[in-house]
Amino acid sequence: MLSAFLLGGALYEHATWYWELQFLGRPAPGNFWLIFPAAALVYLFLWGTTHVAAWLTAWEAAYRGYRLPKAVVLRGLYFHSAHYLPVGLAAFTTTAGYRLLVHRDVFSIASGSNYLVVLCCEVLLGAAYLFMTYWAGMRNMMYANR
């Protein structure tokens, strides 16, 4: 849930930055409470992704002849969900930090393309990190259940 709030906060900060960019620096409406529905959507997305990954992993394990039912995989993925926290923290820190630095006139609004490149790199590195940690855990579970 904490990761969902961090990622929802990053979504809110990024959407607010986009609003200000489109309307030439005019402040976005102060709808800070929108973080809660954003966090709920992120939580539902993470929950759905976790269940799809559990189903696919159990299917692959059965195909390879391993005893790895979906319930066991799901338990492993719930343990793995702690790895969402550093990804959410990095995303929130980048989005909120950039907006803060723009408002303090450390960066100009023209540096938005650099911000987007950094954010895209974080998405790629976060996805690689999550996949590597997922694969390490699932590989160990598969070989333990031969």
Side-chain angles (χ1 to χ4, degrees):
M1 188 57 115
L2 183 57
S3 300
F5 270 106
L6 286 170
L7 289 168
L11 174 65
Y12 170 80
E13 290 290 335
H14 185 70
T16 304
W17 167 79
Y18 184 73
W19 170 279
E20 291 172 354
L21 183 68
Q22 291 302 311
F23 293 103
L24 304 172
R26 193 172 83 207
N31 295 330
F32 185 73
W33 61 271
L34 288 174
I35 288 179
F36 295 108
L41 287 173
V42 170
Y43 182 81
L44 288 174
F45 178 76
L46 290 174
W47 180 83
T49 303
T50 299
H51 281 271
V52 168
W55 177 75
L56 288 172
T57 303
W59 176 71
E60 180 188 2
Y63 176 77
R64 293 176 185 246
Y66 298 121
R67 292 180 299 116
L68 203 56
K70 184 181 174 192
V72 172
V73 174
L74 206 50
R75 242 186 352 243
L77 285 175
Y78 287 151
F79 180 76
H80 173 265
S81 66
H83 294 284
Y84 293 148
L85 192 57
V87 174
L89 189 60
F92 181 74
T93 303
T94 301
T95 54
Y98 178 71
R99 277 200 61 231
L100 179 68
L101 292 174
V102 166
H103 284 286
R104 301 264 170 121
D105 292 326
V106 175
F107 293 141
S108 72
I109 198 75
S111 65
S113 60
N114 294 336
Y115 158 70
L116 291 175
V117 167
V118 168
L119 203 57
C120 288
C121 289
E122 281 184 12
V123 166
L124 292 174
L125 289 173
Y129 166 74
L130 289 173
F131 181 75
M132 296 294 284
T133 56
Y134 157 79
W135 185 244
M138 290 303 122
R139 185 180 59 234
N140 290 336
M141 286 175 65
M142 279 187 195
Y143 291 134
N145 287 309
R146 278 187 180 203

Short mmCIF file of all heavy atoms in Angstrom, two decimals, residues 4 17 25 71 74:
data_model
loop_
_atom_site.label_atom_id
_atom_site.label_comp_id
_atom_site.label_asym_id
_atom_site.label_seq_id
_atom_site.Cartn_x
_atom_site.Cartn_y
_atom_site.Cartn_z
N ALA A 4 2.05 1.92 -3.43
CA ALA A 4 0.97 2.47 -4.24
C ALA A 4 0.79 3.96 -3.97
O ALA A 4 0.56 4.74 -4.90
CB ALA A 4 -0.34 1.73 -3.97
N TRP A 17 2.71 18.66 -13.10
CA TRP A 17 3.77 19.28 -13.93
C TRP A 17 3.29 19.45 -15.36
O TRP A 17 3.50 20.48 -15.97
CB TRP A 17 5.02 18.40 -13.89
CG TRP A 17 6.03 18.79 -14.93
CD1 TRP A 17 6.91 19.84 -14.87
CD2 TRP A 17 6.24 18.17 -16.19
NE1 TRP A 17 7.65 19.90 -16.02
CE2 TRP A 17 7.27 18.88 -16.85
CE3 TRP A 17 5.67 17.08 -16.84
CZ2 TRP A 17 7.73 18.53 -18.11
CZ3 TRP A 17 6.13 16.73 -18.09
CH2 TRP A 17 7.15 17.45 -18.71
N GLY A 25 2.83 27.68 -17.07
CA GLY A 25 3.22 28.01 -15.71
C GLY A 25 2.08 28.36 -14.78
O GLY A 25 2.31 28.59 -13.60
N ALA A 71 -0.99 -20.72 -5.78
CA ALA A 71 -1.01 -20.19 -4.41
C ALA A 71 0.41 -20.00 -3.87
O ALA A 71 0.70 -19.03 -3.18
CB ALA A 71 -1.80 -21.12 -3.50
N LEU A 74 1.94 -17.05 -5.68
CA LEU A 74 1.36 -15.82 -5.17
C LEU A 74 1.99 -15.42 -3.84
O LEU A 74 2.26 -14.24 -3.61
CB LEU A 74 -0.15 -15.99 -5.02
CG LEU A 74 -1.02 -14.76 -5.10
CD1 LEU A 74 -0.69 -13.94 -6.32
CD2 LEU A 74 -2.47 -15.16 -5.12
#
